[in-house]
Amino acid sequence: MTKKRKHQEDFQKVKLKVGKKKPRLENATDTNFKTKAIYLPEQLKEDGILPTNNRKLNIKDLLSQMHHYSAGVKQSALLGLKELLSQYPFIIDAHLSNILSEVAAVFTDKDSGVRVAAIRLLQFLAPKIRAEQIAPFFPLVSAHLSSAMTHISEGIQEDSLKVLDILLGEYPILLTNRCSMLLKNFVELISHQQLSKNLKSREKISWMLSVNPNRRVTSQQWRLNVLIRLKKFLQALVDGSSGSEDDEGIQEQKENSQFMRNSVCISWKEHASNQQHIQLYENGGSQPRIDSAFRLRSLVSVTDSMEKGLSSAENLKGFIEIIIPLLIECWTEASPAQLAAPILGNLLEPESQQLMQQVLSIIYLLWKLTKQHDETHKMEAWLRMNYLVDFKHHFMRHFPYSLQETIKHKKRDPYKSTKYYMTSSNSVDHLLLNLTLCDIMVSLASASTLQMDSDWLDMIRKFVTETLQDGCRLNCKQLNRLLGVTWRLMQIQRNKVATETLIKAVYILYQQRNLLFPVRMLLLKFFSRVYQKEELSSQKIRSRSKVLSRWLAGLPQQLALLGSRKPELSKQLIETIHSAASHSNKEFLQSLQATASRIYDPVDGTLVLLPAESQKRLVQLVYFLPCLPTDLLSSLSRCCIMGRMSSDLAATLIGILRMRSSFAGWKCQVQDSSVNDVDYFSFLFSTLTGFSKEELTSLQSIKGKPHISQTQLSPVHLYLTDLDQFLHHWAVTEVVCHSLSTIPSRSQCFDILQNGICKYLVGLAVIPDSTAGSVLCAMSKLLDQACILSENLHKFLASCCYSLLYFLLTLDKEDAEHARKRDMLWGSCISVLALVPRVFRLMLQSLQVSRACREELPVIGQLLRLLMQHGQLRSHMVTSELLVQQIVKDIMTLKSGEVQEQWLTDLHYCFNIYLATHPQGPGAISTEY
Amino acid sequence: MAAPMEVALVTDAAGLLSNCSVWELHSGSALPGYRGGNSGARGLALLGGEHLLGAQLGKGYISVWELQRKDQLQQKIICPGLVTCLTASPNGLYILAGIAESIYLWEVSSGNLLAILNRHYQDLTCLCFTDDSSHFLSGGKDCLVLVWNLYSTLQVEHSQIPEPRHVWSRHSLPITDLCCGFGGPLARAATSSLDQTVKLWEISSGELLLSVLFDVGIMAVTLDLSEYHMFCGGMDGSIFQVDLCAWPVQRDRAFHSERENGKIFKGHRNQVTCLSVSTDGSLLLSGSHDETVRLWDIQSKQCLRTVNHKGPVTNAFITLAPANMFNPDSKPSVPLPKFSKHLHGTESSEDQGAEGVTLRLGLHQQVVGESYLEKADRLYSQMCLTREKNLMGDQEQLKIQVTELEDEISTLRKINKNLFDFSARIITKSAK
C-alpha cells in the first residue's frame, strides 16, 4: 500500500490537456537574456604601448603627421594632439620638446586652418606648462614666432599676433628677454624701411608707415592691432624691470618697501627665551643675499648676449628714434586735424580715439623705461630736445580732447559700445587719453625750463585743476594718474601761487562728502606726501601753504568723527597726525589738543574703538600733546583700567606719562609743566584703584554669595572680580607701583597715597578683591622706615588682609577662575603683614573668636598655622605671644567637648613647636598650604 | 703698566663733591675729580685726550678742563641756549653741541663756529661721531635720527641748507640714545627710543637691519667693541642683553627659563640712563636715575661694584685713560682758542684774511680767488699733462724734444750773432 503510493509520487504522470498551456519543464533553459559587447576605449598603460586618442593614434604618430604635405592631415593631427593631451596630461611632460618644436613649426603654415588649430593647441597648452619648463625651448618658440611675424603673407602675420598674445599672457618675462628681436618685428609689421635719398646719411634709415591694400582689415585697424600688442609688450617690459614698484603717482616710496624686506623685527621676549636668533653678517646685512639675479650664461639669449634689448640706454634711444616718428604719423592720421577745421572741443571718433590712446600709452611706457636708467637727466634732456617741438605741434594743438557723442555708435554695434563705454557716460573715457598726454608732456618739462614751457604747461594746469574740481566721479585709477600729474606739476613749479591753486583743487575734491574709500585714501596719501615735502623744503622760512595747514588742522577732527568705521583710513590718518605732531607743528598741535578729549574718550573715543596697532600709535601720540589737563588724564586713566586696551599698552601709556611728568627729568632742569604733579598722582591713584568712584558706590549694594566674600570678623567685604579683569588690573598695578617707587621723595609720595586711600577707600563696606590686593601691593612696595601710617589706614589694611586671607582659604580648590588669583594676593598680604608689625597685631586682635560663628573656626585655625609657619611673621607672633595664646585658647574652649579634628591638632602642634618653646632653630619653612 | 688703564668718568645731576668723578675701572680706586658745576645728560666729552668738556645742566655754557688740572676750570664756552647734548670728534678737531633744535659745530683749532644745522624739529637728545670722525649722527625728540657727513656739511655754501646723508624716521617716539659701532662710514649704529624699540642701522646704505621690541621704553643703548652684544637700558631699571651673533644651534637647551634670566642685568631701581662697555668686552658700566653707578661682569651678569651718588647719574662712560690725566706737569699741545658765538662766515672778511692758516674748504671762496676745488682741478690737469708726456715720451718723444731744443738754441745763437754783428758794425762805424 505504502509502496504503491510512493511509486505514484515519484513518477507522476503529467497529464496534458487540450486548451491548456503546457507547463514549463523544470530543467528548461531560460533564453530571454540579452548580451552586450564591452568596448575598451583605453588600453592598459603599463605595457610599452603609448596611449592613443580616439583614432588610435599615439603621440609619435601624431607628431609625424605634422610633416604631412596635406593641410587636412596636419589639422586633424593638431586636433588629435589636443585631444590626446587633454586626456593624458602626463604626456606633455614626457614629450615637451617634440610637441613644442612641431607646434611652433606650424605657426608659419600656409593653411589658415592649420594655424588656427595650432593656436588653439597653444592656448590649451600654455597654462599647463610652467615658465621654467618652457624656458629651455623658448628660443625655438620665439624664433618661430618671429619668423611668423616677419612672414611675407599677411594671414600669417595676423595670426602671429594671436600667438604673441598667448605667450605674453603666460610667459611675459621670457618674452621680454627677447625684446630686441620682437620690437624690430613690431616696427616692421606696420612700416617699411626707406633708404634716404641722400647718400650721406646712409646708416640713418627712416621708416615709413606702410599701407597694404591686400589686408582683410583696414590699415588703420591693422595698426591699432599691432599697437595694442606693442603696448602690452612694453607694459610687460616695464612691469618686469621695475619689479613690484607701483605707479609713481601717489604710491609708497620704493625705499620703504625695501626696508621692510631687509630688516628683521624681533620682540625681546622671544629673543630672551631663545626662540628667535639674530645673526648679523660681516658686511652689514642682516640677511645673506641669495636672490641674486646674476647668471653666468643667460638662459634665453645665448647667441645674442651682446645686445641687451632696451635695458641699455643706447638701444632704447635707437628704438625711440624709430618708433616715435611712426607713432606721430599714426596720430596725424587719426587726429581731428584731418577734419576740415578744428571743431570746438575736439571731438573724436571712437576708433581713432582708440588709436590715439594706444599711441600715447606707448610713448608713456617708453618714458617710464627711460626713467629706469641711471642718467635720467641726460635722457630727459635728449627727449626734450628731440621731441618737444613735435609733440607740441601734434599733441598739444587740440589738447583737451573729448569724445564724440556715442549714441549713434551704440545703435550701430551695441556690443562694442557697451564694451568701451560701460564705465563712462561719455565724459570720463577721454580723460585717460588726456591724462596720458599730460603725463608725457609734464615729464618733458623741468624747473629750469619753466619759462619756455609756460604756454602749454598752463593749459595742462588748467585742465588738471578743472578735472579735479569736478572730480567726484573719478575712479581710483584715474585719480591716481591725475594726482601723479599734479604732483609732478608741483615739483616743476615751486612758487607758492601755482602750487596753492593745485592744492586747493585737490582739497575741494577732498572735501566732497561721499567719496569712495580708495579714493579717499589716495587723496590722503597725496596730502601727506605734499606735507612731508613741504616740511623738508621750508624748514626755515615757514611759508606754509594755507590750504595745507587747514587740511592738517582738520585731521584730528576727522579722526574723532571716523570712529571705528574705517580702520585703514584711521591708520593712515594717525600716521600723518603722528608725523605732524612729532615735528611740533604749532597750529596742528593746537587743533590736536582741542580734539584730544574726544579721541581719548573712555567710552566712545577713537582710542578704545580702533584695533591694537592703531591704539599703540595713539598712545604714543599722548607724548606729543602740548599739555595734559586734568580731565584728559582722568579719561586716560579710565582707558587704562577699562580693559579695552591691552595691559602692555596701558603700561606703555603709564610709562609715557611718567616721562612727561616732572619726575623723569633731572632735578635742576627747568621743566615745562605740561603735567601737573597733582594730576599725575591722581592719575596713578585712580589707575591703581581700578574702579571709578561711581562703580565703587554701586558695588556697595551688591550682596550674596557668588559675588561677595564676607567674614564676620572683618568689616570689609570683598567683591570677586572676573579673572580677566583681575589679571589686567594686576598687570597695571605692577606698572603703577613701579612708577610710584621711582619718585624720588618716597615718604611724601607715600603720604599722598595714604591720603588717597583714607579718603576714597576707607569706610567702604564692599571692596573689589583686585583693588584690595593692589593697595596692599603698593603699600608693600612703597613702605620704608621713614613712612608713618595713620591709625585709620592701619585698621583698614588689617581688615583688608584678613578678608583677603579668609577669601583665599575658603576658596574652592577646583574653582579655576579664582585659583589663579591666589599667589598674587597671598604674596601681597604676607609682605604687608611682615613689613608692618602693627597691622599684623591689629589683625590678630580682630580675631575675636568668641564672637565668631563656629563655621569660621577651622579657617582661623588654618590661617594661624600658616602664619606661624612663615619665618618672619613668626617673630612678630613671638612678640605678641599672649595674644596668640589667647586666640588659641579661645578656639580650644569653643571647640572643647567634641572630637579633636585634624586642623585642631595641627594648630596645636604648630603652636607648641613655634611659640611655646621660643625656638630659634628652624628658619624659613616654606609657606605652602 | 702692561695693559692700558681704563677709567670710568661719571657725572651726576647734583654735582656736590665734584662735577665729574673719575675712578679706575678694575680696582675701583677713586682719582681726583673735576670740580665746578654739574653736567647734563649726554653732556660730557673727552677732547683729543687733553681736555674734558662738560655741558652744564640747566645753564647755557660748556665748561672746559685741562685733563691734568682737575680743580680748575680752564674756560667756559658760552652758548646761545641750553646745551642738551655734546660730543667731540675722536680725532679732536671738532666739537658738536645740540642746542634746542640746532646742532652747533665748532672747529677746535680756531674756535670758529663753522655751522649751525637746523634739520630737527624738536630738541636734540644725543649726538655721536663715527670712530673715524667722518660722519656724525644726531637724534632728537622729533623721533628722527639724522646721519651727517661732516665734510659735506662744511663744504656747503652759505645760502644752502646742508642736507643729512640719511634720515631715519622709523622710530615713533623720541630718540633716547645712539651708539655707533666700529668701522667708520661702514659701521652699524644702534638707536634706542621711548617707543620700546632698539634699532640697528647700517650707516653706509642707511638701511634698517634689525629692530628689537621690548616691554619698556629704552633709555640707553651701547654695543661692545666686537659687536657681539647690544646692551639696552630700560626705563624700569633692567639692562637687556641682545646677542647679535647667535647661532640657532643652541635651540635645544633645556634651561629656557634660566636662559631668559641670563640676558637681563637686574639691580637698578630706576631708569638706566647711560651704558658703556670696557674695551675688552668683559665689563659693563651703567648709570641710573636711582643715583647709583654699577659695574657688571658681562659673562656672569653679576654686579661687581655699586657706587652711590648724590643725584641722578647723567653720564658714565669707560675710556682708556689719557696720559695727561696722571701727569700733573703735562700741558695740552695746543691751547684752546676762544670759541666764538657767531657763525664764522658772517664775520667781517678782513678778519679772515688775516688768519691765513685755516684749512677749511668752501667757506673761503670769497677771500681766495679760486676755490680749492678749482685749484685741485688745475693741479690735476697739470699732473695729467706731465703724465701724458711721460707716457708718450719714449725715446722718440725725447729725441723730438731734444731736436726742438737744439733748434731753439741755434736760433738763439743766430740772433745773438746778429746782435753781435750789428753792434760791432755800429761800434766800428763810430770808431771810423
Side-chain angles (χ1 to χ4, degrees):
Chain A
M1 179 71 185
T2 52
K3 199 178 176 185
K4 195 178 181 182
R5 193 183 293 161
K6 244 177 207 169
H7 182 256
Q8 274 180 334
E9 281 172 1
D10 282 348
F11 301 99
Q12 216 168 21
K13 186 162 187 185
V14 180
K15 287 169 186 165
L16 300 173
K17 285 181 181 171
V18 178
K20 287 200 174 173
K21 234 184 177 177
K22 187 184 172 187
R24 281 180 67 99
L25 291 177
E26 281 176 2
N27 57 351
T29 309
D30 184 10
T31 54
N32 59 353
F33 59 83
K34 284 178 185 166
T35 59
K36 273 191 176 173
I38 299 172
Y39 296 100
L40 295 175
E42 297 178 37
Q43 291 294 322
L44 288 175
K45 288 165 195 167
E46 283 83 47
D47 51 356
I49 306 158
L50 286 166
T52 57
N53 68 348
N54 280 350
R55 301 171 70 179
K56 302 206 165 136
L57 294 168
N58 66 14
I59 178 90
K60 280 184 181 159
D61 302 332
L62 287 168
L63 288 177
S64 64
Q65 277 183 5
M66 305 281 274
H67 297 292
H68 203 269
Y69 60 89
S70 150
V73 175
K74 278 193 255 186
Q75 192 177 354
S76 66
L78 283 165
L79 291 177
L81 202 56
K82 188 179 168 195
E83 185 195 326
L84 180 69
L85 295 182
S86 61
Q87 273 179 357
Y88 308 104
F90 65 91
I91 301 181
I92 300 178
D93 290 337
H95 296 270
L96 189 60
S97 90
N98 292 332
I99 294 171
L100 280 176
S101 64
E102 296 301 336
V103 172
V106 291
F107 288 163
T108 50
D109 198 277
K110 284 187 196 107
D111 188 81
S112 72
V114 176
R115 290 199 306 266
V116 168
I119 288 167
R120 272 199 200 130
L121 180 60
L122 187 68
Q123 203 152 25
F124 162 76
L125 279 178
K128 301 205 160 148
I129 309 175
R130 280 171 287 123
E132 308 91 272
Q133 281 179 318
I134 206 172
F137 311 109
F138 212 76
L140 182 75
V141 176
S142 63
H144 279 293
L145 170 66
S146 169
S147 74
M149 281 171 81
T150 53
H151 205 273
I152 197 164
S153 122
E154 285 83 20
I156 295 177
Q157 280 188 9
E158 280 161 25
D159 286 341
S160 71
L161 291 183
K162 289 176 192 156
V163 176
L164 185 80
D165 277 343
I166 296 167
L167 293 181
L168 204 55
E170 295 293 329
Y171 317 109
I173 296 167
L174 289 173
L175 209 58
T176 51
N177 280 336
R178 317 195 55 84
C179 67
S180 57
M181 177 194 78
L182 287 171
L183 287 174
K184 206 173 158 209
N185 294 344
F186 275 121
V187 173
E188 280 174 359
L189 280 178
I190 52 168
S191 62
H192 58 269
Q193 291 187 15
Q194 199 179 44
L195 289 180
S196 47
K197 298 282 190 300
N198 42 355
L199 292 169
K200 269 193 290 179
S201 56
R202 166 68 46 108
E203 323 85 81
K204 198 165 183 181
I205 300 159
S206 67
W207 294 76
M208 294 276 290
L209 276 187
S210 56
V211 179
N212 192 340
N214 296 334
R215 282 191 199 283
R216 283 182 292 138
V217 291
T218 64
S219 60
Q220 206 171 7
Q221 192 70 49
W222 169 244
R223 269 173 222 146
L224 182 60
N225 281 346
V226 174
L227 288 182
I228 287 174
R229 267 44 171 248
L230 179 57
K231 186 199 140 198
K232 268 199 218 165
F233 183 72
L234 285 175
Q235 185 72 53
L237 206 58
V238 169
D239 289 347
S241 55
S242 61
S244 61
E245 188 193 353
D246 265 310
D247 211 5
E248 68 157 307
I250 314 293
Q251 306 296 339
E252 296 287 303
Q253 279 157 5
K254 197 169 76 177
E255 297 152 20
N256 272 347
S257 59
Q258 217 164 23
F259 275 142
M260 296 309 282
R261 231 179 297 144
N262 286 340
S263 61
V264 182
C265 289
I266 281 181
S267 81
W268 162 255
K269 273 180 194 157
E270 291 182 359
H271 176 68
S273 57
N274 277 350
Q275 284 164 10
Q276 274 185 328
H277 291 274
I278 304 168
Q279 176 65 52
L280 288 180
Y281 289 88
E282 281 305 310
N283 40 7
S286 53
Q287 278 166 347
R289 303 216 170 140
I290 41 171
D291 53 343
S292 160
F294 174 75
R295 282 221 181 95
L296 186 60
R297 184 170 58 100
S298 163
L299 259 183
V300 189
S301 53
V302 185
T303 51
D304 52 2
S305 57
M306 288 299 287
E307 49 173 323
K308 285 180 272 174
L310 290 190
S311 57
S312 84
E314 279 310 306
N315 288 355
L316 185 59
K317 265 189 195 176
F319 182 66
I320 288 177
E321 271 173 350
I322 291 170
I323 195 76
I324 283 191
L326 291 177
L327 291 175
I328 290 179
E329 268 187 75
C330 288
W331 176 275
T332 41
E333 275 186 28
S335 78
Q338 277 194 336
L339 308 174
I343 309 162
L344 191 67
N346 307 313
L347 304 172
L348 293 177
E349 291 278 338
E351 287 89 11
S352 59
Q353 191 254 345
Q354 276 269 311
L355 190 66
M356 290 160 81
Q357 176 63 46
Q358 295 307 325
V359 167
L360 287 181
S361 329
I362 288 170
I363 298 178
Y364 174 68
L365 288 171
L366 285 173
W367 264 219
K368 260 194 168 174
L369 278 176
T370 60
K371 275 176 196 145
Q372 287 166 4
H373 291 291
D374 298 332
E375 308 149 319
T376 317
H377 287 290
K378 242 189 232 175
M379 203 70 173
E380 275 177 4
W382 179 78
L383 289 175
R384 184 182 160 79
M385 193 184 70
N386 285 342
Y387 297 113
L388 182 63
V389 180
D390 282 347
F391 284 6
K392 261 202 298 197
H393 179 70
H394 292 290
F395 298 160
M396 291 305 289
R397 197 141 54 125
H398 311 293
F399 163 52
Y401 295 97
S402 60
L403 205 66
Q404 212 162 29
E405 284 301 313
T406 52
I407 300 148
K408 49 188 174 186
H409 292 287
K410 259 183 190 163
K411 279 177 189 164
R412 206 159 54 199
D413 49 1
Y415 169 69
K416 202 174 169 188
S417 62
T418 44
K419 196 168 88 183
Y420 288 137
Y421 309 117
M422 275 294 269
T423 53
S424 60
S425 65
N426 78 16
S427 69
V428 192
D429 196 28
H430 67 277
L431 196 63
L432 194 62
L433 181 75
N434 287 330
L435 278 177
T436 321
L437 182 55
C438 289
D439 255 336
I440 295 168
M441 294 306 290
V442 167
S443 62
L444 283 178
S446 66
S448 53
T449 58
L450 193 61
Q451 268 75 40
M452 287 178 271
D453 306 329
S454 59
D455 48 343
W456 54 268
L457 273 182
D458 280 341
M459 266 159 72
I460 291 180
R461 185 170 307 113
K462 188 162 157 253
F463 167 74
V464 167
T465 319
E466 280 170 3
T467 321
L468 278 172
Q469 270 166 355
D470 50 25
C472 50
R473 276 181 303 165
L474 292 175
N475 64 24
C476 186
K477 206 176 156 195
Q478 287 164 334
L479 189 72
N480 197 10
R481 294 287 283 276
L482 192 60
L483 290 179
V485 174
T486 317
W487 175 252
R488 181 86 203 205
L489 276 176
M490 284 165 60
Q491 292 307 106
I492 291 168
Q493 208 164 16
R494 294 280 177 91
N495 67 16
K496 201 178 160 189
V497 185
T499 50
E500 192 77 6
T501 49
L502 284 174
I503 295 181
K504 198 166 182 178
V506 184
Y507 188 61
I508 287 171
L509 180 57
Y510 182 78
Q511 279 178 320
Q512 302 276 346
R513 196 168 282 273
N514 43 5
L515 288 179
L516 291 175
F517 168 63
V519 170
R520 175 79 69 187
M521 199 74 174
L522 272 178
L523 288 170
L524 202 59
K525 279 185 181 161
F526 175 78
F527 268 120
S528 48
R529 195 171 161 198
V530 172
Y531 169 67
Q532 271 161 11
K533 185 84 185 171
E534 195 193 57
E535 281 282 284
L536 282 188
S537 58
S538 62
Q539 232 272 303
K540 274 195 128 174
I541 331 119
R542 304 234 167 194
S543 61
R544 293 177 182 283
S545 145
K546 269 184 196 158
V547 182
L548 200 60
S549 44
R550 205 185 311 153
W551 168 78
L552 204 59
L555 285 185
Q557 185 92 21
Q558 286 168 35
L559 182 66
L561 286 177
L562 198 59
S564 62
R565 268 171 290 163
K566 294 260 168 60
E568 296 97 355
L569 198 60
S570 299
K571 197 177 166 200
Q572 181 67 31
L573 277 173
I574 290 170
E575 286 293 316
T576 315
I577 289 175
H578 192 277
S579 82
S582 71
H583 294 176
S584 70
N585 185 328
K586 291 234 170 51
E587 296 165 40
F588 170 74
L589 282 180
Q590 276 173 7
S591 83
L592 182 63
Q593 183 78 56
T595 40
S597 58
R598 283 168 62 192
I599 292 176
Y600 296 106
D601 191 86
V603 182
D604 56 352
T606 320
L607 177 63
V608 291
L609 294 177
L610 286 181
E613 191 57 30
S614 305
Q615 277 186 343
K616 192 176 167 196
R617 298 310 291 263
L618 277 177
V619 164
Q620 289 176 344
L621 200 61
V622 172
Y623 185 89
F624 296 107
L625 284 175
C627 77
L628 297 165
T630 316
D631 52 340
L632 185 62
L633 277 177
S634 73
S635 53
L636 281 177
S637 146
R638 294 291 303 149
C639 291
C640 272
I641 57 186
M642 282 212 328
R644 289 170 87 170
M645 290 195 308
S646 69
S647 51
D648 283 346
L649 209 54
T652 311
L653 179 60
I654 294 168
I656 285 174
L657 287 175
R658 188 177 133 210
M659 289 311 290
R660 286 297 300 275
S661 73
S662 57
F663 302 106
W666 316 99
K667 265 179 197 160
C668 350
Q669 214 157 340
V670 186
Q671 279 282 328
D672 48 331
S673 56
S674 54
V675 182
N676 200 342
D677 285 355
V678 178
D679 292 342
Y680 179 59
F681 272 109
S682 56
F683 167 80
L684 285 183
F685 180 72
S686 44
T687 316
L688 182 72
T689 316
F691 288 84
S692 71
K693 203 174 172 185
E694 293 78 39
E695 280 169 338
L696 284 178
T697 44
S698 72
L699 283 182
Q700 303 306 315
S701 56
I702 296 180
K703 289 205 173 71
K705 184 64 183 161
H707 300 295
I708 300 287
S709 147
Q710 54 183 350
T711 156
Q712 274 141 2
L713 293 181
S714 157
V716 172
H717 298 184
L718 288 180
Y719 169 75
L720 306 183
T721 48
D722 301 338
L723 186 65
D724 287 342
Q725 196 183 0
F726 181 85
L727 290 178
H728 180 81
H729 190 180
W730 200 258
V732 171
T733 298
E734 281 181 347
V735 182
V736 170
C737 286
H738 182 258
S739 283
L740 284 171
S741 70
T742 57
I743 290 169
S745 52
R746 178 67 66 87
S747 58
Q748 286 176 13
C749 166
F750 187 81
D751 281 347
I752 295 171
L753 183 65
Q754 176 175 324
N755 281 337
I757 294 171
C758 289
K759 197 168 168 190
Y760 293 105
L761 296 181
V762 173
L764 291 181
V766 179
I767 287 180
D769 55 354
S770 62
T771 307
S774 300
V775 167
L776 290 178
C777 180
M779 283 292 146
S780 65
K781 289 256 169 74
L782 287 180
L783 262 180
D784 62 5
Q785 278 70 30
C787 307
I788 304 151
L789 274 75
S790 72
E791 191 59 26
N792 268 340
L793 190 64
H794 273 132
K795 278 181 189 157
F796 175 71
L797 289 182
S799 44
C800 272
C801 273
Y802 180 69
S803 298
L804 280 177
L805 291 173
Y806 177 80
F807 161 62
L808 290 179
L809 289 178
T810 52
L811 202 56
D812 199 357
K813 296 271 185 209
E814 278 75 48
D815 189 358
E817 190 180 329
H818 295 304
R820 285 184 59 189
K821 299 176 179 178
R822 183 177 280 158
D823 287 346
M824 310 170 189
L825 290 177
W826 180 264
S828 59
C829 280
I830 292 296
S831 58
V832 164
L833 290 179
L835 265 174
V836 198
R838 183 149 167 71
V839 171
F840 185 49
R841 204 178 158 77
L842 279 172
M843 191 184 90
L844 289 181
Q845 279 170 358
S846 72
L847 300 180
Q848 299 289 338
V849 194
S850 49
R851 283 197 289 113
C853 64
R854 296 202 157 197
E855 286 83 66
E856 258 180 67
L857 281 179
V859 181
I860 296 173
Q862 200 184 357
L863 174 65
L864 278 177
R865 181 174 61 81
L866 287 172
L867 293 180
M868 274 187 252
Q869 280 171 354
H870 191 271
Q872 208 175 353
L873 289 180
R874 196 184 314 134
S875 59
H876 292 323
M877 279 190 170
V878 170
T879 54
S880 51
E881 192 189 339
L882 280 177
L883 195 57
V884 182
Q885 223 163 9
Q886 183 62 43
I887 296 169
V888 174
K889 209 178 276 173
D890 286 350
I891 294 175
M892 290 306 188
T893 50
L894 275 170
K895 269 307 209 186
S896 65
E898 288 176 26
V899 192
Q900 285 239 330
E901 289 178 38
Q902 182 61 38
W903 62 268
L904 205 56
T905 40
D906 284 351
L907 175 66
H908 226 76
Y909 172 74
C910 283
F911 180 73
N912 285 333
I913 280 194
Y914 295 132
L915 294 183
T917 56
H918 297 288
Q920 303 295 325
I925 297 174
S926 73
T927 57
E928 292 301 316
Y929 42 90
Chain B
M1 203 180 295
M5 192 163 109
E6 284 181 288
V7 291
L9 298 177
V10 181
T11 66
D12 62 47
L16 286 180
L17 285 175
S18 59
N19 183 334
C20 171
S21 61
V22 185
W23 38 280
E24 212 265 298
L25 194 65
H26 293 273
S27 66
S29 59
L31 303 167
Y34 297 86
R35 287 168 191 282
N38 47 6
S39 301
R42 315 216 182 286
L44 191 70
L46 266 182
L47 175 63
E50 292 171 342
H51 293 93
L52 183 71
L53 309 174
Q56 286 299 301
L57 188 61
K59 298 191 181 95
Y61 66 89
I62 300 170
S63 352
V64 183
W65 294 269
E66 287 179 10
L67 266 188
Q68 78 284 4
R69 300 168 72 185
K70 304 197 172 185
D71 48 353
Q72 195 178 348
L73 215 59
Q74 200 257 340
Q75 191 187 342
K76 281 182 182 175
I77 304 173
I78 308 291
C79 300
L82 283 185
V83 182
T84 51
C85 47
L86 175 77
T87 188
S89 68
N91 58 12
L93 297 182
Y94 299 96
I95 296 176
L96 281 176
I99 298 172
E101 302 156 0
S102 341
I103 306 169
Y104 285 65
L105 173 62
W106 280 281
E107 187 182 44
V108 174
S109 59
S110 65
N112 288 328
L113 178 57
L114 296 187
I116 302 177
L117 306 170
N118 291 308
R119 264 306 299 276
H120 280 283
Y121 299 95
Q122 292 199 36
D123 289 0
L124 279 144
T125 51
C126 40
L127 284 164
C128 168
F129 265 102
T130 56
D131 56 355
D132 66 344
S133 313
S134 65
H135 289 73
F136 60 92
L137 282 72
S138 63
K141 286 189 176 169
D142 53 358
C143 323
L144 296 180
V145 179
L146 306 181
V147 183
W148 306 82
N149 186 331
L150 178 66
Y151 304 112
S152 53
T153 57
L154 292 179
Q155 269 186 328
V156 165
E157 308 260 335
H158 278 300
S159 54
Q160 287 174 321
I161 305 165
E163 276 296 304
R165 202 166 149 201
H166 301 297
V167 178
W168 292 336
S169 56
R170 312 250 299 168
H171 280 293
S172 53
L173 277 180
I175 311 294
T176 51
D177 200 5
L178 291 171
C179 177
C180 200
F182 183 77
L186 298 176
R188 294 185 275 238
T191 60
S192 68
S193 163
L194 278 181
D195 65 2
Q196 312 187 341
T197 62
V198 168
K199 294 187 196 290
L200 197 67
W201 312 78
E202 194 177 51
I203 292 180
S204 54
S205 67
E207 270 183 52
L208 173 65
L209 301 179
L210 174 74
S211 167
V212 185
L213 176 69
F214 292 88
D215 294 336
V216 292
I218 302 297
M219 304 300 292
V221 67
T222 193
L223 295 162
D224 63 356
L225 210 59
S226 50
E227 294 175 26
Y228 284 158
H229 305 296
M230 184 160 70
F231 300 96
C232 313
M235 241 165 69
D236 62 346
S238 36
I239 302 166
F240 307 97
Q241 173 186 329
V242 179
D243 300 333
L244 295 182
C245 296
W247 293 99
V249 185
Q250 304 168 341
R251 184 165 296 241
D252 46 14
R253 284 200 182 175
F255 311 106
H256 276 292
S257 54
E258 281 182 38
R259 292 286 297 170
E260 181 172 3
N261 294 331
K263 287 183 177 178
I264 301 180
F265 298 83
K266 284 194 167 162
H268 282 298
R269 282 182 291 109
N270 205 336
Q271 65 194 45
V272 178
T273 52
C274 31
L275 289 171
S276 177
V277 184
S278 67
T279 40
D280 60 353
S282 65
L283 296 173
L284 175 72
L285 186 75
S286 65
S288 158
H289 246 65
D290 65 0
E291 311 187 353
T292 59
V293 173
R294 283 172 188 258
L295 188 69
W296 309 83
D297 180 48
I298 289 175
Q299 190 63 39
S300 63
K301 316 277 185 296
Q302 294 302 308
C303 179
L304 298 181
R305 190 171 301 128
T306 307
V307 181
N308 286 307
H309 281 256
K310 292 287 183 285
V313 178
T314 51
N315 292 285
F317 61 85
I318 298 173
T319 179
L320 291 177
N324 281 10
M325 193 175 268
F326 305 108
N327 184 0
D329 302 328
S330 65
K331 268 194 174 177
S333 48
V334 182
L336 269 193
K338 198 169 158 20
F339 283 81
S340 72
K341 266 200 282 186
H342 303 287
L343 200 58
H344 180 54
T346 54
E347 287 170 25
S348 58
S349 56
E350 296 99 318
D351 244 19
Q352 295 182 13
E355 36 162 303
V357 213
T358 44
L359 282 176
R360 266 178 314 102
L361 308 176
L363 288 180
H364 255 301
Q365 277 177 353
Q366 313 96 310
V367 189
V368 188
E370 53 183 345
S371 74
Y372 280 92
L373 268 181
E374 285 168 328
K375 269 188 187 170
D377 269 349
R378 213 182 57 205
L379 212 65
Y380 181 65
S381 63
Q382 275 177 347
M383 275 166 59
C384 282
L385 259 177
T386 50
R387 211 178 59 191
E388 271 173 5
K389 272 180 189 166
N390 284 342
L391 282 177
M392 282 162 55
D394 294 296
Q395 298 301 325
E396 293 179 17
Q397 192 66 30
L398 207 65
K399 272 177 196 167
I400 294 167
Q401 277 186 357
V402 167
T403 50
E404 274 177 2
L405 290 174
E406 278 171 351
D407 285 349
E408 210 173 309
I409 289 171
S410 65
T411 50
L412 282 175
R413 277 195 180 136
K414 207 185 270 175
I415 291 168
N416 205 10
K417 193 166 174 281
N418 285 344
L419 196 68
F420 177 75
D421 288 347
F422 175 73
S423 50
R425 208 164 54 228
I426 290 179
I427 292 167
T428 48
K429 258 184 195 172
S430 64
K432 280 172 189 176

